[in-house]
C-alpha cells in the first residue's frame, strides 16, 4: 500500500488549487495510491468539483490556525482526527508522501509528517507571499529548512526568490519548479448558458476567482473601455462565482446602456463553445494558459501588482507576473490594444503546447526522489516567536474541532441577529 496525503485549501469552491488537487488525486488513485486530503473547511458534500466530495472527511476548521498557535491538547486533538482519516494499516505502507500547497498547510504537513514518519514536500501554489493572512516571513526559518532539504517547490522560476525576499538570495531557475496542471478544465460539453449568449460587437470574458485582488482593476478597465466605446455593444462575462463583486459591478458597470454583464457562476468544466463566442479573455496563471491555447487573445492579470502583463503567447510568456522590459498597462488600455488596435498581432504566437497531465503528475515523484534522504523535521508545534491563542479563542477552537456543526449554527444565528 502506498499513501499520498494532500494538504490544500478548502475543497468546496472552485479555483486552480481545487482543480489541480482533484486531477492529481484522480491520477494517484488510478495508479494504485490511497489518497487522503486535509483542508480547512466543513465536511459537507457540496464541492463544486464533484470528484472532491469523496475527501470531505478531511475537513478540519483548525487547519486555519498555525500549529504553534494552538495549545498542546488542541494540537493532539487535530492529530487524532487526522489519524481517523488515514487507512487503518497506514503504518505498513510501502511509502507515505505528504504534499502541501501553501504557507499554513505546509506547517500542518510538517506536523503530521513528523508524527507518522512521512516524506513531506511543499508544492507551493501561492502567488503572493506578503500581506494579510500570509505567514511566510513569520515562518521564514521553517521555509529555509525545507529549501535546504530540497522540499520546497514553486509554480514559477522566481517563486522561491519571492518567498525569501529580504532574507536570503536563491537562484532563479527551474530546479525547484513544478506544474500544478488542471486536467481537462475545458471540454466539449453542452451549455445552455453559452447557447443563449447573444452576439455583440465585442465579448470580454474574465475567468477565475472573483476574490482575486486584480478583479477590481479588471472591472474598472471594462468600465473605461465601455465608456470610450459608447457606440458599441459590449458583453462582459465573469466565469466563477462573482457574488463578492456584485456591489462593485453595480457601481461601475450597470450604468452603461451599451454594456451587458453576465455572471456565469462556476463552470466545471468550461464549455469549449464559450471560446467561440469570445473576443478576448482576461485571466491569470493556469486560467490564462488554458485560454491562450484555445486561440483566443488572453490578457494576463499580474497577481503581484494587479495590472495587465500583455497578451499571453504574443507579448508575454509569463502567465503570472510581468516580464522584465515589458511596459505594463491598465486593463482598459489592454482591451483597447487587443480589440481595437490589435498591436499584439505584430508578434508571432509562441506559447508552448500543453504536456499531458499524467506525464506532469508522474514527474512530481522525481522531487521526492531528489530530496534529502534522511528524514528530519522542523518543530512547528513549539515556536517561541508565535503567540498562543487565548482562553476565549481556545474555547472557540475547541468547538470548531469537536462540534463544527454547532459552531456553524451559532455563527449563522449571530449573523442573522447581527450579534
Amino acid at each position: 500500500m502506498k499513501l499520498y496525503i494532500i494538504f490544500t485549501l478548502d475543497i468546496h469552491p472552485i479555483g486552480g488549487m481545487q482543480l489541480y488537487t482533484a486531477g492529481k488525486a484522480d491520477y494517484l488513485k488510478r495508479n494504485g495510491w490511497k489518497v487522503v486530503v486535509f483542508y480547512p473547511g466543513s465536511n459537507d458534500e457540496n464541492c463544486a468539483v464533484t470528484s472532491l466530495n469523496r475527501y470531505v472527511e478531511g475537513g478540519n476548521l483548525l487547519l486555519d490556525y498555525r500549529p504553534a498557535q494552538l495549545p498542546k491538547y488542541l494540537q493532539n486533538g487535530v492529530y487524532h482526527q487526522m489519524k481517523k482519516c488515514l487507512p487503518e494499516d497506514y503504518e505498513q505502507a510501502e511509502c507515505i508522501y505528504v504534499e502541501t500547497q501553501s504557507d499554513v498547510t505546509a506547517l500542518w504537513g510538517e506536523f503530521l509528517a513528523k508524527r507518522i514518519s512521512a516524506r513531506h514536500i511543499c508544492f507551493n501554489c501561492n502567488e503572493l507571499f506578503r500581506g494579510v493572512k500570509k505567514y511566510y516571513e513569520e515562518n521564514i526559518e521553517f521555509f529555509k529548512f525545507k529549501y535546504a532539504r530540497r522540499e520546497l517547490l514553486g509554480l514559477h522560476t522566481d517563486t522561491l526568490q519571492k518567498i525569501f525576499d529580504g532574507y536570503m538570495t536563491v537562484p532563479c531557475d527551474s530546479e525547484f519548479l513544478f506544474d500544478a496542471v488542471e486536467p481537462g478544465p475545458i471540454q466539449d460539453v453542452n451549455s445552455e448558458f453559452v447557447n443563449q449568449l447573444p452576439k455583440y460587437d465585442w465579448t470580454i470574458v474574465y475567468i477565475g476567482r472573483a476574490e482575486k485582488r486584480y478583479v477590481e482593476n479588471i472591472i474598472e478597465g471594462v468600465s473605461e473601455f465601455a465608456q470610450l466605446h459608447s457606440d458599441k455593444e459590449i458583453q462582459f462575462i465573469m466565469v466563477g462565482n462573482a457574488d463578492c463583486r456584485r456591489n462593485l459591478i453595480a457601481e461601475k458597470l450597470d450604468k452603461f446602456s451599451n454594456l451587458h454583464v453576465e455572471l456565469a457562476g462556476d463552470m466545471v468544466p468550461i464549455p469549449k463553445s464559450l471560446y467561440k463566442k469570445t473576443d478576448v479573455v482576461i485571466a491569470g496563471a493556469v486560467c490564462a494558459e488554458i485560454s491562450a491555447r484555445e486561440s483566443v487573445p488572453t490578457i494576463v492579470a499580474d497577481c503581484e501588482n494587479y495590472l495587465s502583463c500583455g497578451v499571453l503567447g504574443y507579448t508575454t510568456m509569463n502567465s503570472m507576473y510581468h516580464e522584465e522590459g515589458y511596459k505594463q498597462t491598465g486593463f482598459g488600455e489592454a482591451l483597447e490594444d487587443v480589440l481595437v488596435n490589435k498591436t499584439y498581432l505584430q508578434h508571432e504566437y509562441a506559447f508552448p503546447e500543453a504536456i499531458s497531465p499524467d506525464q506532469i503528475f508522474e514527474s512530481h515523484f522525481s522531487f521526492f526522489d531528489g530530496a534529502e534522504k534522511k528524514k528530519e523535521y522542523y518543530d512547528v508545534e513549539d515556536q517561541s516567536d508565535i503567540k498562543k491563542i487565548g482562553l476565549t479563542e481556545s474555547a472557540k477552537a475547541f468547538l470548531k474541532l469537536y462540534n463544527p456543526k454547532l459552531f456553524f449554527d451559532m455563527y449563522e444565528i449571530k449573523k442573522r441577529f447581527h450579534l
Side-chain angles (χ1 to χ4, degrees):
M1 188 261 286
K2 298 178 295 183
L3 176 61
Y4 201 101
I5 301 168
I6 298 174
F7 283 79
T8 186
L9 300 188
D10 190 358
I11 63 175
H12 291 89
I14 186 167
M17 287 172 75
Q18 289 83 8
L19 289 167
Y20 162 62
T21 298
K24 189 161 192 178
D26 177 66
Y27 163 82
L28 291 164
K29 282 177 63 67
R30 284 189 282 108
N31 286 274
W33 291 78
K34 289 191 176 181
V35 181
V36 176
V37 178
F38 293 117
Y39 63 93
S42 73
N43 305 117
D44 297 333
E45 288 191 359
N46 59 352
C47 298
V49 184
T50 54
S51 66
L52 290 175
N53 281 329
R54 65 170 66 98
Y55 302 112
V56 296
E57 182 187 15
N60 192 314
L61 297 178
L62 264 59
L63 298 186
D64 264 338
Y65 296 90
R66 284 145 284 156
Q69 286 184 285
L70 301 178
K72 190 63 69 175
Y73 78 94
L74 286 177
Q75 291 179 359
N76 290 334
V78 172
Y79 171 62
H80 289 305
Q81 290 206 0
M82 286 179 178
K83 278 188 68 176
K84 292 178 184 177
C85 299
L86 302 180
E88 288 185 7
D89 58 344
Y90 79 89
E91 291 176 320
Q92 279 73 54
E94 177 186 336
C95 65
I96 305 176
Y97 288 162
V98 174
E99 169 179 333
T100 58
Q101 300 175 359
S102 65
D103 49 356
V104 177
T105 63
L107 299 171
W108 281 111
E110 193 80 352
F111 170 89
L112 181 62
K114 181 179 181 179
R115 294 200 177 198
I116 64 174
S117 192
R119 294 198 170 276
H120 165 219
I121 289 182
C122 178
F123 289 73
N124 195 292
C125 295
N126 281 165
E127 301 166 354
L128 294 173
F129 309 96
R130 303 290 185 268
V132 179
K133 293 187 176 180
K134 294 295 180 185
Y135 302 104
Y136 290 94
E137 287 190 285
E138 185 177 290
N139 296 281
I140 201 69
E141 294 302 320
F142 165 71
F143 288 104
K144 285 181 181 179
F145 174 83
K146 297 302 285 182
Y147 173 74
R149 290 182 51 79
R150 306 176 66 82
E151 294 175 339
L152 177 62
L153 312 174
L155 281 178
H156 197 261
T157 52
D158 63 356
T159 293
L160 302 192
Q161 284 189 331
K162 293 176 185 294
I163 289 176
F164 296 117
D165 184 35
Y167 293 91
M168 71 179 196
T169 302
V170 297
C172 182
D173 56 34
S174 59
E175 187 178 4
F176 298 94
L177 178 69
F178 82 103
D179 186 354
V181 63
E182 301 171 11
I186 301 169
Q187 294 181 23
D188 193 8
V189 294
N190 182 58
S191 167
E192 287 304 316
F193 173 84
V194 176
N195 293 342
Q196 59 83 35
L197 289 174
K199 174 66 177 172
Y200 292 108
D201 292 300
W202 290 309
T203 293
I204 304 164
V205 176
Y206 168 72
I207 301 176
R209 289 191 294 115
E211 295 87 354
K212 294 276 189 179
R213 297 183 189 181
Y214 46 59
V215 170
E216 185 172 348
N217 286 351
I218 291 171
I219 290 172
E220 181 65 40
V222 171
S223 173
E224 293 170 2
F225 186 75
Q227 186 173 9
L228 189 62
H229 297 282
S230 57
D231 60 325
K232 300 288 187 180
E233 295 294 314
I234 302 168
Q235 183 167 232
F236 178 52
I237 301 170
M238 295 187 71
V239 176
N241 189 322
D243 288 346
C244 65
R245 298 295 183 181
R246 286 185 182 274
N247 290 340
L248 186 64
I249 291 168
E251 177 190 346
K252 296 287 185 179
L253 304 183
D254 289 353
K255 59 187 175 183
F256 297 106
S257 60
N258 67 317
L259 182 60
H260 310 274
V261 179
E262 295 282 354
L263 304 182
D266 294 332
M267 302 184 87
V268 184
I270 301 171
K272 201 174 184 71
S273 56
L274 176 65
Y275 289 96
K276 296 175 182 176
K277 294 190 172 186
T278 299
D279 295 293
V280 62
V281 169
I282 306 175
V286 177
C287 290
E289 294 175 12
I290 62 174
S291 298
R293 291 183 176 121
E294 290 297 313
S295 301
V296 175
T298 301
I299 297 169
V300 174
D302 191 311
C303 63
E304 192 170 49
N305 63 21
Y306 320 135
L307 296 173
S308 162
C309 293
V311 182
L312 190 61
Y314 292 93
T315 63
T316 182
M317 298 298 151
N318 192 320
S319 64
M320 293 175 65
Y321 308 107
H322 67 280
E323 292 182 306
E324 195 76 30
Y326 176 79
K327 177 181 175 292
Q328 289 189 278
T329 69
F331 291 99
E333 188 175 339
L335 289 168
E336 185 75 11
D337 176 68
V338 171
L339 296 174
V340 181
N341 301 324
K342 300 185 184 297
T343 57
Y344 72 96
L345 291 176
Q346 295 171 6
H347 305 266
E348 189 175 343
Y349 178 79
F351 198 63
E353 288 295 315
I355 303 170
S356 78
D358 278 14
Q359 188 176 342
I360 290 172
F361 292 139
E362 180 65 29
S363 73
H364 288 182
F365 289 111
S366 67
F367 294 111
F368 287 98
D369 294 336
E372 185 69 41
K373 295 293 184 272
K374 183 182 178 182
K375 292 179 183 178
E376 290 183 323
Y377 306 96
Y378 194 89
D379 185 3
V380 298
E381 299 181 31
D382 296 299
Q383 294 174 263
S384 58
D385 55 339
I386 295 181
K387 186 179 179 182
K388 298 286 185 184
I389 58 176
L391 286 176
T392 302
E393 187 66 22
S394 292
K396 187 165 72 171
F398 183 89
L399 189 62
K400 285 181 177 181
L401 182 63
Y402 292 109
N403 199 334
K405 184 180 184 305
L406 179 59
F407 171 79
F408 281 120
D409 289 344
M410 291 174 62
Y411 175 78
E412 287 300 321
I413 291 170
K414 285 184 177 181
K415 190 167 68 170
R416 184 176 302 175
F417 294 100
H418 308 288
L419 298 176

